[in-house]
């Protein structure tokens, strides 16, 4: 995986958009990310991690301060990273959620986090995914590394180097689990634990189930059989004895169920006989009751016969009159239409009144002639009406064109006057332009001088600030040196006290005449006196630790003082020897000169624009005059032609108007007279037609009535019935006839069926009482037999289930022992003597490979002194074991814990372990190629020789086209690595990035 380009905007300390071109460092292979503390060096790495994974490691569990505090409410925040993996180039762009000013109203709204992923295909970026979730899923497949793996193999973040080396077994296991994805083995452990508990539950459940089944069966035994069970329980009966007792009870229950079944069958036979007798008596009584009801119904139907005969006669007359319905109704309709026609004639004549009285006296033929004459005249007048309507508009258009001719003549005259003034104005502007050009020529020089003055002013201000810091650093260095001297004196004092105390102890053991164990003399003229204040080894160790800490602090303070002094000198050199006041005055003078030059540039540009405007106006005026001249000639020809057309239109309109106010008024009057004549002719014609039709219908009706069987017209009308009325009469007749026939047939059948039976109704209460008594006996027998059979079946079922449950207990117990032993072994419990879980065992193998890869580099960086070694020794107080790390020191030949290394040694060991871890993790991730690597801080703890070895190791990393980025404050590295990425904090607050890619890789150690 190779990173090509990073873009940061509104992220961390960067407000404006900053671009880092990592491809520019390909020739160097290694570059330094430098800058003051807090300028934002680590924020560059944070941006890479955020773009690829949507998170920043140093903000885990804390407030995510991703958006720059320097951003305004409307400033955007985004990070973009271009990278190549597996031969494909991608660009991912992310932005976090942040508040933005509302477009409407007051307050802020939260802009949701967003992400975009694109791929470079044939020189064009093509979108692959959008949205944080979809982009994350795509990147999981493309990168092949999780965030934790990325942080361990590509982006070695600040303060995370020693995390893996110095971690405890449990913490190291958590980190390896994230890197190698071995949580599956922990799932295996939980699965076996759950299976062990499940087998234990199965054994307990099987045993309890057998006992529960036997107890339930024993409760079903009759009370007269419980004596055997109580005797067996008093003697501590086994499960087998309890099974035998229940077996005997089940056999007795079977015999009792069979006896009660036979009694049930006998009671059922007696119940069926009583039921049959009771049913026969009920059927006889029902037949007797139906016969009585049939006799009453027949009498009622016979009483309705006269009324049904009258309805039959009414139906016959209605059917005869139905043949006369059409002529009767036709004559009535024709008479109604004749009266309506005559009324319409009277209404039209009344409507005409005196306004058109001559029309009322005209015959029908004269009215038709008048209508034809008026229709022809209206056609001619409507043509003239169209001309009259267009005449006013034509007159107005003609008048407007005449006025337009005068306006365009005046406009041409004004254009000629304006063009005459333009040469005078151009000459005046050209006279002002020459001095403005001369003044504007010095603007660029003034801007360059202003930038140089500003740089000297910033450097002078920085020198003032650094002078104060240098003084403070000098004081802190002096104080730290004094504390180191005091700590050294304390150690010397303790050593002297312990020596004196030991001499006093030896003197106390001297015996006169015996040889001294130190010098061998038998004489002891001046034995030392005990001090009374002994010094222990712990006191010496604490003092030496304090001495070492004070010495380190003094060395660090001296380094800070030296760096501050160099920075002050560098700032003073960049200020050109000017103090802050002189630099400020020079800056003000340069800015004033720049403002004057910029004003001259503005004036020059204004005058040039004025000249261009005058030339453009002259050309536009000439073009407009040509256009107006051509249009005026066309307009004059058009006005002359339309004047002749207007005279002809006025003649046609006057002829059509006559003595009316307008052609429209004459057409309206003629149309009204034609409409009245048309209406009067129409009603006369309709009235004549209706009268003739009424006379024909009346003659046809009278003839048909005379030929029918009715005496007169009134009798025929009264005999008429509607179709529903006729259907109702017919339905009543047919229903009565059918009911009469059916009832006579039914009564005849009942009389035949009851022949020989008494007329009085029989009594069924005695048969019903006998049936109730038989049913009660039968129901009681059924219940007793069912209870006995259910008890016997339940006893047999419980007995078989108890035997099966007891048979399963032995097999389940054997399986439980095997599962429990395997679960304990996987979980690191006895019989596992190393207390290693299955996951720890797998991770231990991975750790051995990591250590082997790390030792290849640690041996070189430590000049062959140190080697990492994996240990599976048991941890104290029952902690997890199997993932221990220790340091093998070639000088002593002994192993010691990693915590015993010094700060520089810890950094080297951590760096070697991180690089070894990177190789193994990438191999497990499918052989991901690492073409870019970042290392954040830690080089300041190395001496010069060790730094040389570390740099040699890093030089090996860049072989094969790999690019290595380092973050460090070490001055030696700044001198050694010319390719640098400078992160600078501006005086206004936000940081900027300046990139220097000097191809000087040969300066690195070979």
């Amino acid at each position: 995986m190779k990173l090509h380009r990073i873009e940061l905007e509104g992220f961390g300390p960067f407000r404006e958009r900053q671009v880092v071109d990592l491809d520019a460092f390909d020739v160097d292979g290694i570059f330094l990310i430098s800058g003051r503390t807090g300028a934002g060096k680590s924020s560059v790495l944070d941006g890479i991690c955020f773009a690829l994974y949507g998170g920043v490691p140093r903000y885990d569990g804390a407030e995510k301060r991703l958006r720059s505090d320097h951003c305004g409410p409307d400033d955007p925040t985004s990070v973009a990273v271009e990278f190549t993996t597996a031969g494909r180039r991608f660009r991912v762009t992310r932005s976090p959620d942040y508040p933005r000013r509302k477009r409407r109203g007051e307050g802020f709204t939260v802009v949701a986090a967003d992400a975009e992923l694109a791929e470079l295909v044939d020189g064009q970026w093509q979108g692959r995914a959008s949205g944080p979730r979809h982009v994350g899923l795509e990147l999981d497949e493309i990168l092949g590394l999780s965030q934790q793996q990325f942080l361990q193999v590509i982006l070695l973040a600040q303060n995370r180097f020693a995390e893996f080396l110095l971690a405890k077994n449990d913490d190291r296991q958590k980190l390896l689990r994230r890197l190698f994805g071995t949580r599956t083995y922990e799932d295996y452990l939980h699965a076996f634990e759950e299976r062990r508990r499940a087998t234990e539950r199965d054994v307990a459940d099987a045993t309890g189930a057998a006992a529960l089944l036997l107890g339930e069966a024993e409760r079903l035994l009759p009370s007269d059989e419980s004596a055997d069970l109580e005797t067996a329980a008093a003697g501590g009966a086994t499960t087998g004895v309890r099974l035998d007792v229940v077996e005997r009870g089940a056999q007795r229950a079977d015999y009792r169920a069979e006896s009660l079944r036979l009694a049930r069958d006998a009671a059922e036979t007696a119940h069926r006989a009583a039921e049959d007798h009771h049913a026969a008596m009920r059927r006889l009584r029902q037949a007797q009751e139906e016969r009585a009801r049939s006799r009453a119904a027949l009498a009622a139907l016979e009483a309705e016969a006269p009324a049904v005969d009258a309805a039959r006669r009414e139906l016959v007359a209605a059917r005869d009159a139905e043949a006369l319905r059409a002529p009767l109704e036709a004559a009535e309709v024709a008479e109604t239409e004749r009266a309506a026609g005559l009324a319409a004639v009277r209404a039209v004549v009344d409507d005409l009144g005196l306004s058109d009285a001559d029309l009322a006296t005209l015959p029908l033929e004269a009215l038709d002639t008048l209508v034809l004459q008026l229709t022809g005249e209206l056609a001619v007048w409507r043509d003239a009406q169209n001309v009259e309507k267009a005449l006013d508009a034509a007159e107005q258009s003609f008048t407007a064109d005449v006025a337009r001719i005068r306006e365009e003549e005046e406009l041409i005259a004004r254009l000629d006057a304006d063009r005459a003034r333009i040469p005078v104005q151009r000459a005046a502007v050209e006279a002002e332009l020459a001095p403005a050009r001369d003044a504007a020529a010095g603007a660029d020089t003034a801007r360059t001088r202003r930038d140089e003055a500003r740089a000297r002013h910033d450097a002078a201000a920085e020198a003032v600030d650094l002078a104060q810091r240098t003084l403070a650093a000098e004081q802190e260095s002096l104080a730290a040196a004094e504390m180191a001297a005091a700590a050294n004196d304390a150690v010397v004092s303790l050593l002297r006290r312990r020596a004196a105390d030991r001499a006093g102890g030896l003197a106390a053991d001297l015996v006169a005449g015996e040889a001294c164990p130190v010098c061998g003399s038998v004489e002891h003229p001046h034995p030392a006196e005990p001090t009374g204040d002994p010094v222990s080894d712990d006191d010496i160790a604490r003092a030496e630790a304090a001495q070492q800490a004070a010495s380190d602090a003094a060395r660090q303070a001296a380094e800070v003082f030296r760096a501050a002094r160099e920075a002050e000198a560098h700032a003073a050199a960049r200020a050109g020897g000017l103090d802050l006041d002189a630099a400020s005055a020079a800056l003000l003078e340069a800015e004033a000169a720049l403002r004057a030059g910029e004003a001259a540039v503005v004036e020059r540009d204004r005058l040039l624009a004025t000249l261009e405007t005058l030339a453009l106006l002259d050309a536009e005026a000439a073009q407009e005059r040509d256009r107006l001249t051509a249009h005026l000639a066309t307009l004059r020809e058009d006005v002359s032609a339309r004047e002749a057309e207007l005279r002809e239109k006025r003649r046609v309109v006057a002829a059509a108007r006559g003595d009316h106010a307008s052609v429209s008024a004459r057409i309206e009057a003629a149309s009204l007279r034609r409409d009245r004549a048309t209406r009067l002719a129409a009603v006369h014609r309709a009235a004549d037609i209706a009268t003739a039709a009424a006379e024909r219908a009346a003659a046809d009706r009278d003839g048909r009535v005379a030929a029918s069987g009715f005496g007169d017209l009134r009798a025929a009308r009264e005999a008429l019935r509607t179709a529903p009325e006729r259907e109702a009469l017919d339905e009543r007749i047919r229903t009565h006839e059918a009911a009469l026939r059916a009832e006579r047939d039914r009564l005849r059948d009942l009389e035949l069926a009851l022949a020989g039976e008494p007329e009085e109704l029989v009594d069924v209460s005695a048969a019903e009482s006998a049936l109730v008594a038989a049913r009660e006996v039968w129901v009681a027998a059924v219940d007793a037999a069912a209870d006995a059979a259910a008890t016997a079946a339940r006893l047999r079922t419980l007995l078989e289930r108890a035997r099966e449950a007891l048979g399963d207990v032995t097999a389940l117990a054997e399986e439980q022992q095997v599962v429990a032993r395997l679960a304990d072994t996987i979980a690191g419990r006895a019989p596992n003597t190393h207390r290693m879980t299955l996951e720890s065992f797998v991770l231990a193998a991975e750790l051995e490979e990591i250590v082997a890869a790390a030792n290849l580099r640690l041996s070189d960086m430590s000049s062959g002194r140190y080697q990492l070694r994996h240990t599976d020794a048991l941890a104290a107080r029952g902690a997890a074991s199997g993932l221990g790390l220790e340091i093998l020191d070639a000088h002593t030949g002994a192993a010691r814990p990693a915590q015993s290394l010094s700060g520089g040694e810890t950094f080297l060991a951590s760096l070697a372990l991180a690089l070894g871890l990177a190789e193994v993790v990438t191999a497990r991730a499918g052989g991901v190629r690492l073409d870019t690597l970042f290392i954040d801080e830690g080089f300041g703890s190395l001496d010069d020789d060790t730094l040389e070895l570390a740099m040699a190791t890093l030089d090996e990393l860049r072989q094969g086209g790999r690019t290595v980025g380092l973050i460090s404050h070490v001055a030696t590295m700044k001198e050694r690595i010319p390719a640098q990425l400078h992160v600078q904090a501006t005086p206004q607050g936000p940081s900027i990035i300046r990139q220097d890619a000097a191809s000087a890789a040969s300066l690195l150690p070979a």
Side-chain angles (χ1 to χ4, degrees):
M1 178 180 180
K2 179 176 179 60
L3 301 180
H4 300 285
R5 183 182 177 92
I6 309 168
E7 298 179 8
L8 306 167
E9 184 176 10
F11 182 86
F14 308 109
R15 182 184 65 189
E16 304 297 333
R17 181 171 174 267
Q18 305 296 316
V19 178
V20 178
D21 183 10
L22 296 178
D23 290 340
F25 298 120
D26 286 348
V27 177
D28 299 272
I30 188 167
F31 66 95
L32 182 68
I33 303 177
S34 62
R36 285 185 177 182
T37 300
K41 300 184 296 299
S42 298
S43 295
V44 177
L45 307 188
D46 292 341
I48 297 173
C49 191
F50 173 70
L52 296 179
Y53 295 97
V56 176
R58 60 174 171 160
Y59 290 143
D60 289 346
E63 182 184 4
K64 297 183 178 181
R65 300 293 297 274
L66 301 178
R67 178 169 168 80
S68 176
D69 293 336
H70 304 291
C71 285
D74 299 325
D75 292 336
T77 296
S78 67
V79 178
V81 171
E82 293 183 19
F83 63 94
T84 297
T85 181
R88 301 165 64 189
R89 183 156 179 165
F90 298 91
R91 180 178 65 199
V92 57
T93 305
R94 284 187 192 267
S95 61
D97 51 6
Y98 60 90
R100 175 184 58 77
R101 193 189 309 277
K102 292 183 177 179
R103 292 188 174 89
R104 294 183 179 178
E106 305 210 354
F108 294 84
T109 183
V110 176
V111 178
D114 196 10
E116 297 287 340
L117 178 65
E119 181 179 2
L120 187 63
V121 179
D122 297 332
Q124 299 292 328
W125 289 105
Q126 297 182 3
R128 286 288 303 275
S130 62
R133 179 175 178 274
H134 294 93
V135 169
L137 294 176
E138 286 287 334
L139 287 176
D140 285 345
E141 299 181 1
I142 294 171
L143 296 175
L145 293 173
S146 67
Q147 182 179 3
Q148 292 297 331
Q149 292 172 330
F150 182 81
L151 294 175
Q152 287 293 336
V153 302
I154 293 179
L155 199 157
L156 306 180
Q158 186 177 1
N159 299 327
R160 298 176 70 96
F161 260 43
E163 176 182 341
F164 187 64
L165 175 66
L166 304 178
K168 297 180 181 179
N169 269 275
D170 293 341
D171 296 334
R172 189 174 291 118
Q173 181 179 12
K174 293 177 182 177
L175 182 58
L176 289 172
R177 176 188 298 158
R178 292 196 300 266
L179 295 177
F180 293 101
T182 58
R183 187 172 293 276
T184 301
Y185 297 101
E186 185 180 10
D187 296 339
Y188 292 159
L189 187 149
H190 294 324
F192 272 98
E193 285 293 328
E194 183 60 30
R195 186 173 178 184
R196 179 180 62 79
R197 289 191 291 268
T199 55
E200 291 175 353
R201 288 195 299 269
D202 291 343
V203 172
D205 292 345
T207 304
L212 183 63
L213 292 170
L214 284 176
E216 186 175 352
E218 290 166 353
R219 286 192 294 273
L220 293 176
L221 296 178
S223 59
D224 55 353
E225 298 176 3
S226 60
D228 295 340
L229 183 60
E230 293 175 359
T231 302
T238 62
T239 303
V241 174
R242 295 177 67 186
L243 284 173
D244 293 340
V245 173
V246 174
E247 175 65 29
R248 290 194 297 272
Q251 293 174 358
R252 294 169 184 168
D254 290 340
Y255 175 76
R256 185 163 51 253
E258 181 63 22
S259 299
L260 291 175
R261 184 184 64 79
L262 296 175
R264 180 202 63 193
D265 293 343
E268 184 177 4
T269 301
H271 173 261
R272 285 201 188 100
E275 197 174 44
D276 292 342
H277 176 65
H278 177 261
M281 295 303 293
R282 288 189 62 189
R283 286 195 296 272
L284 176 58
R285 182 176 180 95
Q286 289 175 355
Q288 290 176 332
E289 291 173 350
E290 289 179 4
R291 181 179 61 185
R293 287 193 294 272
S294 180
R295 290 173 178 173
L298 182 59
L301 289 171
E302 291 174 346
E304 293 179 1
V308 172
D309 292 339
R312 188 178 288 108
R313 291 191 296 272
E314 182 181 356
L315 178 60
V316 172
R319 288 173 176 170
D320 293 340
E322 189 64 24
L324 299 175
R325 179 184 294 275
L328 290 174
E329 292 178 351
E332 292 177 357
V333 170
E335 180 61 26
T336 302
E337 291 177 352
R338 184 186 67 81
L342 295 176
V345 172
R346 289 192 297 273
V348 171
V349 171
D350 293 341
D351 184 50
L352 294 177
L354 297 175
S355 61
D356 228 341
D358 57 331
L359 291 178
T361 60
L362 293 176
L364 181 58
E365 293 78 3
L367 290 173
D368 292 338
T369 301
L370 179 61
V371 169
L372 290 176
Q373 178 185 352
L374 291 174
T375 300
E377 292 175 346
L378 284 171
V380 175
W381 296 340
R382 284 196 177 94
D383 293 337
Q385 183 186 24
N386 295 332
V387 175
E388 183 184 43
K389 290 180 179 179
L391 184 60
D392 291 339
E395 294 278 6
Q396 294 175 2
S397 176
F398 177 78
T399 303
D401 287 345
V402 171
R404 191 176 298 113
I405 289 173
R406 289 194 298 271
E407 290 176 357
E408 291 189 0
E409 290 173 346
E410 294 174 357
L411 183 58
I412 290 173
R414 286 198 300 270
L415 283 175
D416 292 340
D418 292 339
R419 291 186 65 195
R421 288 193 296 272
I422 288 178
V424 178
Q425 295 175 350
R426 184 185 297 113
V429 172
E430 289 176 349
E432 296 178 8
L433 181 60
R437 279 176 173 167
D438 295 339
D444 293 338
T445 303
R447 183 175 293 103
T448 301
R449 292 177 180 175
R450 190 279 312 272
D451 293 341
E452 294 174 352
R454 178 173 294 170
R456 288 193 295 271
H457 175 271
D458 294 343
E462 184 180 358
V464 172
D465 182 56
L466 289 174
Q468 298 175 355
R469 298 185 184 180
T470 302
L471 179 60
E474 183 178 11
Q475 294 174 350
E476 291 178 359
S477 177
L478 180 60
E482 293 175 351
M483 292 180 66
N488 185 61
D489 293 342
V491 172
V492 174
S493 177
L494 288 176
L495 291 174
R496 289 174 178 173
R497 285 173 52 195
R498 185 169 66 174
D501 187 65
R502 287 180 177 176
L506 292 174
D509 294 335
L510 294 177
V511 178
E514 295 183 1
C516 175
V518 177
C519 63
S521 175
V522 295
E523 295 181 358
H524 316 296
H526 302 291
E529 295 293 335
T531 63
D533 186 13
V535 177
S536 64
D537 292 339
D538 292 340
D539 294 335
I540 298 296
R542 284 194 294 271
E544 289 178 344
Q547 179 192 27
Q548 182 64 36
S551 178
D552 293 342
R555 185 170 60 255
Q556 292 177 359
E559 178 65 24
V560 171
F561 173 52
R562 183 188 62 78
R565 189 170 61 251
E566 292 178 354
E568 180 185 3
H570 182 62
R574 287 188 289 110
L578 299 178
D579 59 11
L580 183 58
D581 293 338
S584 299
L587 177 60
L588 292 175
E589 182 180 355
E591 289 178 343
L594 177 60
R595 286 194 296 271
E598 290 176 343
V601 169
V602 172
E603 179 64 14
R604 179 200 63 190
D605 294 341
R606 184 188 68 80
L607 293 173
L608 290 175
T610 302
L611 287 176
E612 292 178 359
T613 302
L614 290 174
L616 181 63
L617 290 175
D618 188 27
E620 290 178 350
Q623 183 179 4
E624 180 67 11
R625 189 184 190 287
D626 293 342
R627 186 190 66 79
L628 289 174
T629 302
H631 183 262
L632 182 61
T634 303
L635 191 61
R636 285 170 175 168
E637 293 176 1
D638 184 58
V639 167
S640 177
R642 280 190 291 162
E643 185 176 7
E645 293 178 0
L646 282 175
R647 286 196 296 271
E648 176 62 21
K649 289 180 180 180
R650 294 189 192 106
R651 185 192 63 77
V652 171
V653 170
R657 185 185 300 122
D659 57 355
H660 289 78
S662 64
V663 177
S664 298
R666 188 172 189 182
I667 290 175
E668 182 179 357
S671 297
L672 178 60
R673 181 171 177 78
R674 186 188 63 174
D675 292 342
R676 288 176 176 177
T678 302
R679 287 176 56 201
L680 185 57
V683 295
H684 274 301
R685 189 176 288 107
D688 294 343
I689 294 172
T691 300
E695 292 173 353
R696 289 194 299 272
D700 179 67
R701 176 198 62 193
D702 294 342
R704 291 178 182 271
V705 170
S708 67
F710 294 100
D712 53 13
L713 186 60
R714 179 179 179 183
R717 287 196 179 101
E718 290 177 351
L720 286 172
R721 296 290 185 271
T722 64
E725 290 174 343
R726 296 195 302 274
E727 291 176 359
L729 290 172
D730 185 55
E731 179 65 22
R732 179 182 180 188
I733 296 168
R734 288 188 287 103
T735 301
H736 180 268
E737 291 176 349
L740 186 60
R741 288 194 301 272
E743 197 61 43
R744 285 172 178 169
D745 294 340
R746 182 166 174 269
L747 180 58
R748 182 175 61 253
D749 293 339
L750 290 172
E751 293 289 359
L752 292 175
L754 293 175
E757 298 294 339
E759 288 291 332
E760 298 80 6
L761 297 176
V762 298
D763 186 10
V764 298
S765 57
E768 186 174 357
S769 298
L771 176 60
V772 171
R775 182 180 293 110
E776 291 175 354
V777 173
W778 173 60
V779 170
V782 169
D783 292 341
D787 290 342
T791 300
R794 181 63 174 161
L795 276 173
R796 286 294 177 189
T797 300
L798 293 172
L799 186 62
E800 293 301 325
R801 290 174 60 191
R803 285 173 175 165
E804 293 176 0
L806 290 172
D808 294 340
V809 169
T810 302
L812 290 173
E814 294 175 354
E815 180 184 0
Q816 191 274 333
Q817 292 177 358
V818 174
V819 172
R821 181 179 178 84
L822 184 56
D824 290 337
T825 301
I826 292 176
R829 299 188 293 268
N832 186 338
T833 58
H834 282 77
R835 294 205 299 267
M836 290 178 65
T837 64
L838 177 61
E839 182 183 17
S840 298
F841 180 77
V842 174
L843 292 178
E846 301 287 359
L847 185 57
E848 289 180 351
E849 292 191 33
I850 294 170
V851 168
N855 282 331
L856 296 177
R857 291 187 171 89
L858 180 58
S859 178
D860 294 338
M861 286 190 290
S862 63
S863 300
R865 178 177 179 181
Y866 294 118
Q867 288 281 310
L868 290 166
R869 188 169 71 179
H870 163 247
T871 175
D872 57 2
L874 291 177
R877 293 184 292 276
S881 304
L883 297 176
L885 284 177
E886 57 187 11
I887 300 297
L888 186 63
D889 191 342
H891 290 183
T892 62
R896 55 191 175 103
Q899 288 77 2
S900 64
L901 295 174
S902 67
E905 293 169 342
T906 300
F907 174 76
L908 292 179
S910 300
L911 177 59
L913 191 60
L915 296 176
L917 181 63
E919 292 182 4
V920 176
V921 168
T922 51
R924 296 294 183 271
V928 178
R929 176 176 172 82
L930 302 181
D931 294 318
T932 307
L933 178 67
F934 293 93
I935 301 176
D936 190 353
E937 291 296 352
F939 298 94
S941 60
L942 305 180
D943 56 50
D944 293 340
D945 294 337
T946 307
L947 181 59
E948 289 286 343
L949 296 174
M951 293 299 292
T953 300
L954 294 175
D955 189 43
E956 294 177 1
L957 294 179
R958 68 189 184 115
Q959 295 178 0
R962 179 181 293 176
T963 302
V964 182
L966 307 178
I967 295 180
S968 179
H969 293 88
V970 178
T972 305
M973 297 185 68
K974 295 180 182 178
E975 298 171 358
R976 191 181 301 272
I977 304 176
Q980 295 185 14
L981 198 67
H982 302 281
V983 182
Q984 299 176 345
T986 63
Q988 293 78 19
S991 295
I992 60 174
I993 298 176
R994 182 168 55 83
Q995 184 170 341
D996 292 333
S999 186
S1002 59
L1003 297 179
L1004 290 171

